[in-house]
Amino acid sequence: MAKTTDAMKIIDNMIGDDAQMREMLAEASLNAEVGQLIYDARQKAGLTQQQLAELVGTTETLIDDLEEADYEGNSLVMLHKIAIALNQKLTLNLVPLEDNPTKEPISC
């Protein structure tokens, strides 16, 4: 088998058919994506975490937590408040899974 340097392929090979590990990876990936989304939007708006917190009516600590990839407390209500504070609209989409070899549901 050819060697790869693609991190996602390496992780996929390590996890194999372990449904529990796949679910954990999906959750971690979603948390990282949400955190990056918040961070990017805040940076684009030119705001500090403290300034965004004041606009949203929360604490800088919570904004910092939300931007962390391993934070598991993301809520749609808070994301909606952040979107409004940044004069944006929050949209959600359900898209077909391109690659789910086990054909088992992945909860996020």
Side-chain angles (χ1 to χ4, degrees):
M1 180 158 70
K3 289 187 177 185
T4 182
T5 58
D6 182 327
M8 292 310 295
K9 286 182 182 179
I10 293 169
I11 291 170
D12 188 53
N13 288 336
M14 291 173 62
I15 292 173
D17 293 333
D18 186 331
Q20 184 177 10
M21 288 297 293
R22 289 200 172 277
E23 184 173 335
M24 289 173 55
L25 179 60
E27 289 176 12
S29 179
L30 180 62
N31 288 339
E33 189 174 340
V34 169
Q36 190 66 51
L37 176 76
I38 294 168
Y39 173 82
D40 290 345
R42 180 178 61 75
Q43 290 292 310
K44 186 175 180 181
L47 298 174
T48 66
Q49 289 178 338
Q50 182 63 43
Q51 290 168 324
L52 178 57
E54 290 170 6
L55 286 172
V56 174
T58 190
T59 64
E60 182 271 336
T61 302
L62 180 59
I63 299 299
D64 183 58
D65 287 346
L66 288 168
E67 290 181 358
E68 291 295 320
D70 61 349
Y71 183 68
E72 296 180 4
N74 295 325
S75 77
L76 291 177
V77 172
M78 183 55 69
L79 289 175
H80 186 246
K81 288 180 179 182
I82 290 170
I84 290 170
L86 297 175
N87 196 31
Q88 296 186 19
K89 177 182 174 184
L90 176 65
T91 60
L92 300 173
N93 295 304
L94 295 175
V95 295
L97 294 175
E98 293 178 23
D99 185 23
N100 184 4
T102 63
K103 304 296 184 224
E104 293 185 28
I106 299 173
S107 64
C108 297

